[in-house]
Amino acid sequence: MDDKEIKRLEKMSRLKKSNAFAGIIFTVLGGVLALYPGLAISLLCTILGVAILIIGVAYIITNVAGKREGLSGNFFLGMGIVLVVIGLWFITRPDFLLDLLPMVFGVIVVIDGCANIGESVLSARLGNSSWWVSLLLAILTIVMGCYLIFRPFNVMMTIARVIGVIMIFNGITDLIIVSGIKTQIKNADIVDSKTDEN
């Protein structure tokens, strides 16, 4: 076996290890998201809150230690306090964060649906025979927006499960690729050993 072939096998071996690790991580995390979406999202919110809290405390300590003075110091002190409050909020109220994002999107969708109703009425006045189709679609848009507003937790759980399933698929794909690489390396070793015997 020449040097080029050896380097190729070494590269495949490293790829096998990294893909195996990534495959296991993706599969495990995907399984947690798919089976326990509420717990997983709450945990992620808590981790995010802790990270923001640490950054805020670092800003405050830097200011109190006298490393920043004047306007810059006041800015970092104020920013540190805001980040600490946000971090504590994420840690103590992860459920609020779960509700907030779908609700914001829901409000946007409802507003757009109301605008579409106005356009449908205008279309009817202009004599468009298919105005009722756009009206029905506008009403459906508003209904979906209201669902996002009033049932945000259900929406987030569904999204988390979908993401979890995708992560599981990605992890299994990585492990299948690892299996293929392992077979290639094994076959190359067998060929090399036969060549040495001859």
Side-chain angles (χ1 to χ4, degrees):
M1 185 181 296
D2 57 19
D3 292 339
K4 188 176 180 180
E5 188 70 16
I6 292 173
K7 288 181 179 179
R8 188 177 73 86
L9 288 177
E10 288 176 349
K11 185 177 180 180
M12 289 176 67
S13 180
R14 289 194 297 269
L15 184 63
K16 181 189 75 172
K17 292 177 181 177
S18 62
N19 271 19
F21 180 74
I24 293 170
I25 294 297
F26 272 113
T27 303
V28 171
L29 290 180
V32 172
L33 266 176
L35 296 175
Y36 310 103
L39 175 64
I41 295 176
S42 295
L43 182 61
L44 287 175
C45 289
T46 302
I47 293 172
L48 180 61
V50 170
I52 293 173
L53 179 64
I54 290 172
I55 295 171
V57 170
Y59 276 10
I60 293 172
I61 291 174
T62 300
N63 180 267
V64 172
K67 295 182 179 180
R68 295 187 182 274
E69 298 177 354
L71 185 62
S72 175
N74 293 334
F75 171 79
F76 274 88
L77 178 61
M79 181 63 71
I81 293 172
V82 170
L83 289 176
V84 167
V85 171
I86 293 175
L88 290 173
W89 189 27
F90 276 31
I91 294 169
T92 57
R93 291 294 305 277
D95 55 322
F96 182 82
L97 189 64
L98 294 180
D99 293 344
L100 183 62
L101 190 60
M103 289 174 68
V104 170
F105 279 111
V107 170
I108 294 172
V109 169
V110 168
I111 292 173
D112 188 59
C114 292
N116 290 341
I117 286 180
E119 292 174 3
S120 301
V121 172
L122 179 60
S123 180
R125 289 177 179 174
L126 293 174
N128 188 343
S129 59
S130 61
W131 64 270
W132 59 273
V133 175
S134 57
L135 178 63
L136 287 177
L137 291 174
I139 293 172
L140 181 61
T141 299
I142 292 174
V143 170
M144 289 190 293
C146 289
Y147 184 81
L148 286 173
I149 294 171
F150 296 110
R151 301 300 295 273
F153 186 77
N154 291 0
V155 173
M156 288 303 294
M157 295 305 98
T158 302
I159 293 173
R161 286 193 175 98
V162 170
I163 294 173
V165 170
I166 293 172
M167 290 178 69
I168 291 172
F169 177 79
N170 185 68
I172 292 173
T173 302
D174 284 342
L175 293 175
I176 291 173
I177 292 172
V178 167
S179 178
I181 293 173
K182 186 177 180 181
T183 302
Q184 284 182 299
I185 294 174
K186 185 177 180 181
N187 291 340
D189 289 339
I190 292 173
V191 171
D192 186 50
S193 61
K194 287 184 178 179
T195 304
D196 292 341
E197 288 175 2
N198 294 334

